[in-house]
Amino acid sequence: MRLLPSRIRRSATLGRRSAVTSMLLAFAMVVVLVTIFILTALDRIAEYANRLDDARSRETTTGSLHMFEGQLHATLTDYAAWDDAARYVYAGDQDWIVDNYGEMTVNSDLFDTAIVMDSRQNVLMAYQDGVPVSWSPRDYFDASLATLFDKAGSAGPDAVPEAAGFMRTKRGIAAVGLALIRQKSGALDVPRPDRRFLIFAHHLDEAKVRKLAQTYVIDGLRFTGEGEVTANAVDIRNLHGKLLGRLVWNSRLPGNMGYAEVRPLVYCALAMVGLFFLLLFVSGSNTLNRLKADEAAARHLAMSDRLSGLLNRTGFFVALEDLVSEGRRSGSDVALLYLDLDGFKEVNDAYGHGTGDKLIRGVAAGLKTLVGNDAILARVGGDEFAIAFLSAEIARVADDLNDRILGFFDEPFVIGERVATIGTSIGVAASPRGKVSGEELVRRADMAMYHAKETGRGRAEYYRPEMDAEREERNMLEIDLRIAIERRELAVVFQPVMDARSFRLIGVEALCRWNRAGYGPVSPDIFIPIAESTGLIDQLGLFVLHRACETIASWPELKLAVNISPGQFRDPAFAVHVGSVFSKTKTEPGRVTLEMTEGYFIQNAERARAALAKLKQLGVKIALDDFGAGFSSVGYLRQFGFDRMKIDKSLVHALDEGARAVDLLQATVALARSLDIPVTAEGVETEEQAIALRLSGCDELQGYLFGRPMSAEEIDAIRGGGMPCGASAA
Ligand code: C2E
Ligand code: CA
Ligand code: CA
């Protein structure tokens, strides 16, 4: 699509790209965060499960140590609080002691060392693993043995005279218990110094630890090795709190195992979440793309004209600015052709909007073929088109294009059964190397187009700087005219109208005059069109009518003719204003003829008829002015009920050229007279003309021959005074 301005396309693509990137980033961040959260949570659960299991293992290990010690203690109680023991030990029966204590140390699951001592800690018997030993218990056990002695020995009558605890021995670590040998009831009839004590020791060696591990199901329970540091350990301390050794186990890490178990599932779930997001993203970005496309379409619609399919005014300005920037960059020139159709409104009014629309489409299609694809073509107004292009030699290309466009309009357009002839006026402006902005370029081309219109239509005009001065001058003129109208500085002069037979003065035509302050007189041919195009004509026309009616009040025998511009009909209250002028100036409407040209009647036949009817109700007469100068035909005269026809001076002056013109004039006047419409001839400058016109059937004559437009005083002077200067009665 060449015609969609590149700037619009560019910004749309950029926007889409950045939106997609940020969505992708957000999507990736969400997935990463979710993954981190889930993995962290699982890690915590695993850690917690591990810790829980370790705590349980710790409790079990501690418990197993207590059991180990407790078992020894219970065995000791059985052997020490025993009636037989109390009898035989205190009786000094060494055999009994060896049989029942010493020899029990062999292959016992309960104790491996048995010692009997007196209260001064003299050894009476010491056996280990079924054989007597010679070491001293004081050397063999650590210092906490003395504490056991103290505890058990000094126990009061209510306390149990026993004590136990772990201890270091020469062989390793052992649970050691010490108890007073007594009757089962606890009674003992022996003084303190003579009392005997039984010591059992049960060594906790590697094999026992393995057995504990088996019994209590603690994986890998063992003593710590050299320098082994671990949190999973239980200390074994003696009664003094001295560290004897540590038991450690293998952490089962059930959390880790569970974690390992669920990990594949978690990864699976994460992958699914990722996939879901990806799908969401893809469908989301599809929607986004569609929205963007819709937006671009809407933009395109806002930039284009629905009827012709070309760019519209907005689109054209955007595209033109792009083109000018391009020209500035590449150093090429930009040309702008501004086209305004001539006669399009008339076709539209005459044949209706349907035909008008088809005509516009036809023109658009034709122009498109003429300008090709490298130029911008737009419909910038109802019947206005613009063409812009870049070229290294715009003068030649523009000349060539103008010729082809004007040639294209030479042929009439066939629309269904109708044939329409229209033309176009072209204004051309250039922006050398893009130095003139798009806006200024349009202004210049429009100005040139306006000149082409004013200087005859159907032609191309190049912008010249003087045009600005002329426009400026016209603007000044308009301002001054407005002021002159407000200050009532305009003057009205009167041109005599004569009876064609008697050459007597029977009426006057009021004509407006403007003596522009500081400049001198301005021709009505200049200021009347300005007043018409600016709307000042309403005030101006009523002013002239008012002044003329006031003036003829003192000329009761004279008729009055006043010119009316088509523009004045656009005011719906025009007839009312005219009526009020008549009543204010006490003018008899039948004395007044309003002169108007055919332009308005061609354009708006229905409205013109209605407006004329209103005026005629006032009693005023209507004349068709400048007959023969335009397209007016005798048919109009009857159709609109004109009361008089005025032959244009161009037709009158043609009389000098020969018989053909005389024939034409005679035929025209005869036709009008056959419709009972009287004819006035204007622009009569010679007696020959006057005679020919009278012979042709004109009943009233007007022209320099009888008098130029003059002041009211001058009319006063010739009234009733017979012939004005220059004319001799026939
Ligand atoms: P128009 O209505 O056709 O007025 C007649 C014009 O012909 C006048 O020019 C007049 O001076 C000129 N003329 C009269 N006799 C002769 C002659 O023998 N030979 C030649 N060559 N010209 C003659 P003027 O006053 O310059 O007015 C020009 C036009 O301005 C008028 O043409 C009329 O259309 C318009 N105009 C003047 N005053 C008014 C006005 O008050 N209202 C409106 N709406 N238009 C006016
Ligand atoms: Ca006139
Ligand atoms: Ca005239």
Side-chain angles (χ1 to χ4, degrees):
M1 252 300 179
R2 168 70 183 86
L3 296 182
L4 187 66
S6 58
R7 199 188 320 159
I8 298 167
R9 285 200 304 264
R10 236 182 350 258
S11 67
T13 328
L14 275 180
R16 195 171 320 159
R17 202 169 300 155
S18 74
V20 167
T21 316
S22 52
M23 257 188 79
L24 243 167
L25 270 176
F27 151 75
M29 260 172 65
V30 166
V31 169
V32 165
L33 280 178
V34 166
T35 308
I36 288 176
F37 283 150
I38 291 183
L39 291 182
T40 309
L42 283 175
D43 208 57
R44 291 231 180 120
I45 292 173
E47 204 188 291
Y48 183 66
N50 289 346
R51 249 188 308 158
L52 217 62
D53 194 68
D54 282 338
R56 216 170 17 239
S57 297
R58 178 186 304 281
E59 274 167 21
T60 314
T61 305
T62 311
S64 72
L65 285 175
H66 281 143
M67 290 299 286
F68 187 79
E69 188 200 318
Q71 213 168 33
L72 177 85
H73 197 151
T75 310
L76 179 66
T77 306
D78 287 347
Y79 280 82
W82 183 13
D83 295 346
D84 281 1
R87 185 167 354 128
Y88 293 109
V89 170
Y90 287 106
D93 188 339
Q94 194 67 18
D95 289 340
W96 188 95
I97 296 173
V98 168
D99 282 350
N100 288 285
Y101 292 152
E103 302 214 319
M104 295 306 269
T105 57
V106 71
N107 290 333
S108 166
D109 267 348
L110 301 169
F111 55 97
D112 52 58
T113 307
I115 300 167
V116 177
M117 297 176 92
D118 65 14
S119 56
R120 279 176 299 279
Q121 300 187 22
N122 294 314
V123 177
L124 303 179
M125 183 219 72
Y127 262 72
Q128 190 167 55
D129 300 325
V131 290
V133 289
S134 54
W135 37 257
S136 137
R138 219 189 296 258
D139 298 334
Y140 190 76
F141 296 102
D142 72 25
S144 62
L145 182 69
T147 311
L148 286 188
F149 250 111
D150 287 349
K151 277 187 162 184
S154 61
D158 295 332
V160 180
E162 296 173 356
F166 281 99
M167 224 167 270
R168 177 156 294 285
T169 73
K170 291 281 181 231
R171 204 162 112 184
I173 298 169
V176 181
L178 187 146
L180 175 68
I181 298 172
R182 60 199 189 271
Q183 284 178 348
K184 192 164 171 68
S185 62
L188 185 62
D189 195 9
V190 178
R192 270 186 193 271
D194 299 333
R195 292 186 173 178
R196 305 277 153 91
F197 295 89
L198 177 63
I199 299 170
F200 277 174
H202 193 192
H203 277 91
L204 186 62
D205 51 21
E206 299 281 345
K208 302 270 173 35
V209 169
R210 266 200 301 279
K211 209 163 167 207
L212 283 181
Q214 238 172 37
T215 311
Y216 296 101
V217 199
I218 308 167
D219 183 36
L221 189 69
R222 65 190 183 279
F223 283 108
T224 33
E226 274 300 305
E228 189 177 351
V229 183
T230 168
N232 296 330
V234 168
D235 294 345
I236 306 171
R237 293 177 186 275
N238 69 7
L239 288 170
H240 298 165
K242 192 178 166 227
L243 183 67
L244 305 177
R246 314 180 80 191
L247 284 181
V248 294
W249 59 92
N250 292 339
S251 201
R252 283 181 305 169
L253 300 175
N256 287 11
M257 286 184 326
Y259 190 13
E261 195 97 319
V262 297
R263 195 160 24 212
L265 285 174
V266 169
Y267 286 152
C268 230
L270 279 175
M272 275 164 76
V273 167
L275 200 73
F276 171 72
F277 269 105
L278 199 70
L279 285 176
L280 204 71
F281 169 72
V282 167
S283 80
S285 69
N286 276 348
T287 314
L288 198 75
N289 283 346
R290 217 173 28 247
L291 280 177
K292 291 279 176 194
D294 288 353
E295 191 190 319
R299 263 169 200 273
H300 181 70
L301 212 63
M303 298 272 172
S304 58
D305 168 51
R306 271 206 281 169
L307 179 58
S308 63
L310 304 178
L311 284 181
N312 63 13
R313 195 174 180 81
T314 315
F316 176 69
F317 271 91
V318 174
L320 182 64
E321 288 297 350
D322 275 356
L323 204 66
V324 169
S325 307
E326 175 74 43
R328 217 173 295 140
R329 251 196 316 279
S330 63
S332 23
D333 302 341
V334 183
L336 172 60
L337 274 61
Y338 211 89
L339 280 70
D340 188 290
L341 303 187
D342 301 325
F344 172 75
K345 282 193 182 68
E346 284 77 358
V347 172
N348 216 24
D349 288 339
Y351 297 150
H353 291 294
T355 306
D357 286 355
K358 282 185 193 138
L359 186 56
I360 289 293
R361 257 186 242 129
V363 170
L367 289 177
K368 187 124 187 57
T369 348
L370 286 179
V371 303
N373 283 331
D374 293 335
I376 294 167
L377 171 63
R379 179 176 175 229
V380 291
D383 61 350
E384 289 168 40
F385 293 85
I387 300 163
F389 56 86
L390 278 176
S391 174
E393 33 175 1
I394 47 171
R396 192 190 58 73
V397 179
D399 273 346
D400 183 54
L401 191 54
N402 284 335
D403 287 348
R404 281 188 290 148
I405 292 173
L406 293 173
F408 168 69
F409 282 96
D410 278 347
E411 301 291 320
F413 288 83
V414 180
I415 305 152
E417 285 151 19
R418 302 184 191 283
V419 176
T421 308
I422 55 167
T424 186
S425 302
I426 309 174
V428 188
S431 176
R433 291 179 298 288
K435 278 183 185 151
V436 177
S437 76
E439 204 176 326
E440 172 65 8
L441 203 53
V442 170
R443 192 191 70 79
R444 292 183 180 184
D446 183 51
M447 175 96 68
M449 188 276 292
Y450 183 82
H451 267 257
K453 279 251 187 252
E454 287 216 314
T455 51
R457 304 175 147 202
R459 47 192 300 277
E461 181 92 69
Y462 283 76
Y463 167 81
R464 284 171 282 110
E466 305 90 85
M467 289 177 181
D468 284 331
E470 287 168 31
R471 172 68 68 91
E472 183 59 19
E473 169 57 21
R474 206 181 133 91
N475 288 345
M476 297 295 287
L477 215 62
E478 182 195 325
I479 292 167
D480 285 356
L481 179 62
R482 192 180 293 274
I483 293 170
I485 293 171
E486 274 166 16
R487 296 187 184 160
R488 310 199 149 258
E489 285 171 3
L490 297 181
V492 176
V493 291
F494 301 90
Q495 186 173 31
V497 176
M498 320 303 281
D499 178 70
R501 291 195 180 284
S502 62
F503 285 180
R504 291 200 156 273
L505 180 68
I506 53 163
V508 289
E509 177 178 359
L511 292 160
C512 187
R513 291 290 176 266
W514 179 29
N515 195 2
R516 186 182 176 197
Y519 290 86
V522 181
S523 162
D525 290 328
I526 290 178
F527 73 80
I528 292 294
I530 292 179
E532 285 173 339
S533 66
T534 54
L536 288 170
I537 193 69
D538 293 331
Q539 277 171 274
L540 185 149
L542 287 174
F543 164 77
V544 172
L545 181 67
H546 197 279
R547 177 65 59 85
C549 286
E550 278 176 345
T551 311
I552 61 154
S554 49
W555 306 330
E557 79 286 5
L558 297 185
K559 298 194 297 175
L560 171 68
V562 178
N563 295 287
I564 300 298
S565 283
Q568 291 177 263
F569 276 112
R570 289 196 195 108
D571 177 4
F574 177 60
V576 177
H577 292 318
V578 171
S580 85
V581 169
F582 289 160
S583 53
K584 272 187 202 150
T585 54
K586 299 194 176 61
T587 306
E588 209 277 291
R591 289 176 68 194
V592 181
T593 301
L594 300 181
E595 297 185 357
M596 46 195 84
T597 53
E598 85 292 336
Y600 185 67
F601 302 97
I602 296 177
Q603 283 177 23
N604 300 290
E606 279 320 305
R607 255 190 287 160
R609 210 189 304 276
L612 278 190
K614 274 195 215 163
L615 284 172
K616 292 187 85 169
Q617 270 173 5
L618 292 173
V620 76
K621 293 198 170 58
I622 312 288
L624 181 62
D625 203 354
D626 297 347
F627 190 92
F631 305 94
S632 41
S633 75
V634 176
Y636 284 125
L637 289 172
R638 196 180 37 202
Q639 204 185 332
F640 294 98
F642 285 105
D643 301 296
R644 177 169 287 277
M645 174 170 107
K646 274 188 102 164
I647 293 180
D648 190 62
K649 49 186 172 285
S650 60
L651 222 62
V652 172
H653 297 165
L655 286 178
D656 303 342
E657 281 156 28
R660 252 185 61 78
V662 178
D663 290 347
L664 185 69
L665 185 94
Q666 279 177 344
T668 306
V669 177
L671 212 59
R673 295 211 64 109
S674 74
L675 294 169
D676 261 348
I677 294 173
V679 180
T680 303
E682 67 181 348
V684 185
E685 293 179 354
T686 63
E687 282 186 42
E688 291 74 36
Q689 289 168 353
I691 291 162
L693 288 160
R694 182 171 67 187
L695 289 176
S696 299
C698 296
D699 68 334
E700 289 179 2
L701 302 177
Q702 180 183 349
Y704 294 169
L705 176 66
F706 308 104
R708 294 184 174 250
M710 56 187 80
S711 67
E713 291 74 28
E714 289 172 291
I715 293 288
D716 269 336
I718 60 171
R719 251 177 78 222
M723 299 299 305
C725 53
S728 53

